[in-house]
Amino acid sequence: IVVDHHLVPAEPLPAHAFLNPHRPQCGFPFKGLCSAGLALSIGAAVRAELSADLDLRSWLDLVALGTIADVAPLIDDNRALVRAGLAMLTSDRARPGLVALCEIARIRPGTPLGAIDVAFRLTPRLNAAGRLGDPALTLALLRAKTLDEARSLAAQIERINTERKDIERGVTERACREVDAMTRSSHGLVIASDTFHRGVVGISAARLVDRYGLPALVIAMDDGRGHGSGRAPDGFPLYSAISACAHLLEKFGGHDAAAGLTIRAENIEALRACFNRACSERARAAVGEPTREVLVDARLDGRGYEVPRASELSLLEPLGEGNPEPMFEIEAELTRADVVGTEHLKLGLRVGMRQMSAFGFELAAKKASLGQRVRIFGHVRPDTYRGGENVEVRIIEIDTP
């Protein structure tokens, strides 16, 4: 019995039963469930068939984690499932493993968690053990019965996640050097090397998309065979582009948000040409001409809208894929500017009578050009470090008005 949410291949599958909302004969109207949501559906069906006394609500935190981590659209059925699961994550019903994980991620107890917090602070840690070795460690964390056991496992996972970040940074830097050295323009990127770690190629592909705005395949080669992962800009039909190259691949699968593939070394150059051509053919129809225009949902300057409180922002949850965060334009007085590490920017702001902080990922170089007042485009999020009603701006763009 196979449960899956990826796009369905044309050939028949060697399975007794295949549960997938993308099957042509599936009459379920919502097609956006990931496999965690489908597992919940199977649980509901089994409960009904056996007339069993089984409370499925105890699984909703895991459904929320899986749905967010798999970048499923946070609309319709997923919206209800994830909202209920998020409420469990910081309640007195939270499982010990997730309590310990929140402690490691420096999230204050009782702070309402949003889908963005889960996506960037919890799921990378949950994924780390599987990316570098054995995912059984993560399973053990989620199944831990006591907080002491969970804290020990969470500490191990944090060490692995730190190693994962170091490895991913090296792979991404090497991949970027290859892209920068290319002498011809590309519509789709294919970067392959036997120095890449296969556990982080998906993250590196996402970094290339962020940096170059192009669909990207990053492939780790080993003994004549490559295992790769693909990512693409929002709205781009990644699965279709990879399907056009199926004759060069041993196998592939996924959807438009992410895909995986296996390929022989001798087919890499042909894949570069084929994928580039497929991306070129699909790019204009899929996403149109690129634009740098920032679309603003609300302006904060101390005279109009008040700075939202954390509890007010939580009413919009879950935010993420399919339900993006509001974009704020903020004019503020700069009260503090610090560099965190060597690359990141941490600011203190006064907006009207309210104090708030702001964080800019890899924006440390902007510090020297900032004046007494700043204009920021970014997302306002609950400050899970200070807790309470405090909020923080995640900076997208910043300048001096």
Side-chain angles (χ1 to χ4, degrees):
I1 299 174
V2 176
V3 179
D4 187 58
H5 69 277
H6 296 100
L7 298 179
V8 183
E11 63 270 15
L13 298 176
H16 173 71
F18 181 40
L19 179 66
N20 186 315
H22 296 290
R23 293 184 69 189
Q25 58 269 60
C26 177
F28 191 68
F30 181 57
K31 306 300 183 183
L33 288 174
C34 75
S35 293
L38 294 173
L40 187 76
S41 298
I42 286 185
V46 170
R47 178 182 63 179
E49 183 69 20
L50 301 180
S51 300
D53 182 16
L54 177 64
D55 187 358
L56 300 178
R57 291 175 296 181
S58 64
W59 298 353
L60 285 171
D61 57 344
L62 301 180
V63 174
L65 286 172
T67 302
I68 294 166
D70 228 324
V71 202
L74 300 180
I75 58 175
D76 299 335
D77 295 52
N78 282 345
R79 185 167 181 77
L81 292 171
V82 172
R83 188 171 180 84
L86 287 174
M88 287 182 61
L89 289 176
T90 51
S91 73
D92 55 7
R93 296 174 294 157
R95 62 188 72 226
L98 295 177
V99 172
L101 201 66
C102 286
E103 290 177 351
I104 287 287
R106 301 175 71 186
I107 297 172
R108 281 182 177 271
T111 301
L113 275 183
I116 301 295
D117 298 311
V118 172
F120 288 97
R121 301 175 71 175
L122 299 188
T123 59
R125 291 175 164 90
L126 289 169
N127 285 335
R131 292 189 185 281
L132 296 194
D134 186 358
L137 185 62
T138 298
L139 179 61
L141 175 72
L142 294 174
R143 298 181 66 185
K145 300 300 184 184
T146 68
L147 192 53
D148 284 344
E149 177 191 5
R151 283 171 172 157
S152 174
L153 292 165
Q156 295 178 59
I157 284 175
E158 185 68 0
R159 288 192 292 271
I160 294 172
N161 189 51
T162 299
E163 181 185 359
R164 187 273 305 168
K165 288 190 285 187
D166 290 340
I167 292 172
E168 181 271 318
R169 187 179 299 111
V171 170
T172 300
E173 288 174 354
R174 288 193 293 271
C176 288
R177 286 197 295 269
E178 285 200 31
V179 175
D180 293 339
M182 291 180 178
T183 57
R184 59 181 181 179
S185 61
S186 295
H187 301 279
L189 305 172
V190 177
I191 306 297
S193 173
D194 57 8
T195 66
F196 292 170
H197 192 297
R198 63 182 292 185
V200 302
V201 291
I203 305 172
S204 291
R207 299 276 189 262
L208 295 186
V209 173
D210 291 340
R211 178 163 177 170
Y212 300 102
L214 296 171
L217 307 179
V218 178
I219 303 170
M221 305 301 301
D222 182 28
D223 195 24
R225 179 177 279 105
H227 299 274
S229 189
R231 300 291 188 272
D234 290 344
F236 184 84
L238 176 65
Y239 186 85
S240 171
I242 294 176
S243 297
C245 308
H247 60 288
L248 299 170
L249 306 174
E250 289 193 338
K251 58 183 178 180
F252 73 98
H255 43 65
D256 285 344
L261 59 88
T262 304
I263 185 173
R264 299 294 303 179
E266 58 265 26
N267 289 330
I268 290 291
E269 285 303 321
L271 177 64
R272 285 195 174 98
C274 183
F275 187 66
N276 187 57
R277 183 168 58 253
C279 291
S280 176
E281 293 168 353
R282 289 158 177 78
R284 188 173 298 275
V287 297
E289 292 294 334
T291 177
R292 290 292 296 163
E293 182 181 4
V294 177
L295 300 179
V296 173
D297 295 292
R299 190 169 187 270
L300 306 178
D301 57 9
R303 298 188 294 272
Y305 283 112
E306 294 291 331
V307 174
R309 301 180 183 277
S311 59
E312 295 169 335
L313 291 172
S314 68
L315 298 175
L316 304 175
E317 291 290 346
L319 295 165
E321 182 70 19
N323 185 39
E325 294 181 271
M327 177 65 73
F328 288 87
E329 179 184 358
I330 303 166
E331 284 205 16
E333 179 185 348
L334 184 63
T335 61
R336 191 187 77 252
D338 300 310
V339 172
V340 179
T342 59
E343 301 175 323
H344 312 308
L345 186 64
K346 182 80 170 181
L347 304 179
L349 306 174
R350 181 180 291 112
V351 184
M353 301 299 293
R354 289 282 301 276
Q355 302 281 342
M356 62 192 308
S357 60
F359 183 83
F361 184 73
E362 295 184 347
L363 290 178
K366 291 279 189 178
K367 178 183 175 182
S369 64
L370 299 179
Q372 186 176 0
R373 292 193 64 80
V374 293
R375 177 174 58 196
I376 294 172
F377 295 96
H379 304 301
V380 179
R381 300 173 180 171
D383 188 334
T384 55
Y385 178 68
R386 292 192 296 161
E389 291 286 5
N390 293 297
V391 296
E392 181 178 68
V393 185
R394 180 57 60 93
I395 303 168
I396 304 299
E397 294 185 10
I398 183 171
D399 59 29
T400 297

